[in-house]
Amino acid sequence: MPPSYRRSFISIVAVLALGAPVVAAPTALASKTAKASHLGDRTLRAGASGADVRELQQALGQAGFKVKTDGKFGTGTLRAVKRFQRASRLEPSGTVGTKTVKALRRALRGSSANANGGFSDDPEQDGAHHSLGDRIPVKKGMSGHDIRVLQDFLTRAGYKVGIDGEFGSTTEKAVKKFETAQSRPVDGVMDAGDIDALRTLAGQDDPGAGTQPTQLAPGDVAQIGPDGLAIAPASAPDPVKAIIAAGNQIASKPYKYGGGHGKWNDSGYDCSGSVSFALHGAGLLDSPLPSGDFESWGDSGPGQWVTVYAKASHAYMVVAGIRFDTSGRTKNNTRWQADMRSSSGYVARHPAGL
């Protein structure tokens, strides 16, 4: 063995004999941890820190929340996350998982989910299906269903505007009045902080708030044919069309107390059995519910396309602007009815996202 090799070999043996630590090569886990530095690489909760938390704070700032960009997930960041989640109709858990990250990115780039489950960066392409909070900020010159929801919420909060789906000068003035009253930055632009405040003011966090669902444009309202069956609007989301199709199957079935609760295919249906059947047809309900249980089903408040009104003794539903109800069906022999009824004493609930 050459002298230089012999010296190296002896040095290695000496190090091992002395028990000195040997530094191993980086493991795959360590490498993965090093790369987990971008928003979305891991679930973030209060107490977390790092570059991904800083990205989260920057995104929240763009959405209109005042947060310190220090890379530490403290109480200020937690509060902002919960407010964004409420504005985007997510569970306000304060935990930033995949759904929250996707919603935040989608909102900031002004897009919404398309029919294939992906996302489009063209607001006009998806505008008819926007929910308020799907794109942030919302401002003058924009149009779509989310603008109609904004106008409806402003009206409920006491700032009357026409509900036409167009964010024009009148809507901008109403937004500025709302911002002034709420001590928010007055710019006529609805950021996520404004949306959260407006949802709260309009009663969207109160299960019993609101007497009617969001008003729809004429082209978004379902029609009732001479046969008593509902015709879904072309602009309605697929789950709404599925609810209407299922409702048509039992539209003229007789009223039967307890009907639809023992089995889906029954000779007749009671009020909650009828609502359950229609929701089940869209995959929104696994088993029938009695009227009282609908008081805590789904999300609170009226929906944009579907609203279930419930109390212990009765339940009915408004789908795409028409009523699905066993009460009053003797008049036209169909559960589908164009006229509305008082919702006083009922709890308003809706399927998430609808």
Side-chain angles (χ1 to χ4, degrees), residues 96-160:
V96 182
T98 303
K99 287 185 178 179
T100 299
V101 172
K102 285 184 177 179
L104 185 55
R105 286 174 174 164
R106 179 175 69 244
L108 292 179
R109 72 171 182 252
S111 64
S112 67
N114 62 31
N116 297 320
F119 296 101
S120 166
D121 290 320
D122 181 2
E124 294 303 320
Q125 178 180 334
D126 295 323
H129 303 298
H130 278 307
S131 295
L132 186 60
D134 279 354
R135 50 179 176 173
I136 298 173
V138 176
K139 55 188 177 181
K140 187 176 180 180
M142 298 176 77
S143 62
H145 187 69
D146 55 344
I147 306 303
R148 288 195 290 274
V149 176
L150 166 64
Q151 293 165 331
D152 183 70
F153 284 0
L154 285 169
T155 299
R156 294 185 196 183
Y159 307 94
K160 292 185 178 181

Side-chain angles (χ1 to χ4, degrees), residues 177-268:
K177 288 181 180 178
F178 159 74
E179 291 172 328
T180 300
Q182 294 294 308
S183 299
R184 303 219 18 105
V186 182
D187 56 8
V189 175
M190 293 292 292
D191 59 26
D194 290 332
I195 292 171
D196 175 48
L198 180 58
R199 282 186 179 278
T200 301
L201 189 63
Q204 288 303 290
D205 290 332
D206 180 358
T211 58
Q212 297 297 338
T214 300
Q215 296 183 42
L216 301 175
D220 291 338
V221 177
Q223 303 297 315
I224 302 175
D227 56 0
L229 302 183
I231 304 169
S235 59
D238 287 341
V240 175
K241 293 178 180 177
I243 291 173
I244 291 176
N248 281 341
Q249 294 179 39
I250 63 169
S252 298
K253 287 266 189 175
Y255 177 89
K256 177 183 175 182
Y257 182 76
H261 290 278
K263 54 185 178 180
W264 285 119
N265 296 316
D266 211 335
S267 57

Side-chain angles (χ1 to χ4, degrees), residues 16-31:
L16 292 173
L18 291 172
V22 178
V23 179
T27 65
L29 178 61
S31 177

Side-chain angles (χ1 to χ4, degrees), residues 303-314:
Q304 296 162 24
W305 289 95
V306 181
T307 303
V308 175
Y309 293 97
K311 58 183 180 179
S313 59
H314 190 59

Side-chain angles (χ1 to χ4, degrees), residues 44 68 114 120 141 223 317 335:
L44 297 177
K68 188 176 182 181
N114 62 31
S120 166
Q223 303 297 315
M317 182 165 54
R335 285 170 170 79

Side-chain angles (χ1 to χ4, degrees), residues 64-87:
F65 298 104
K66 291 183 178 180
V67 289
K68 188 176 182 181
T69 311
D70 58 2
K72 298 178 181 178
F73 199 134
T75 55
T77 301
L78 177 64
R79 197 159 44 241
V81 166
K82 287 184 176 181
R83 293 193 66 191
F84 170 76
Q85 289 171 328
R86 284 197 298 269

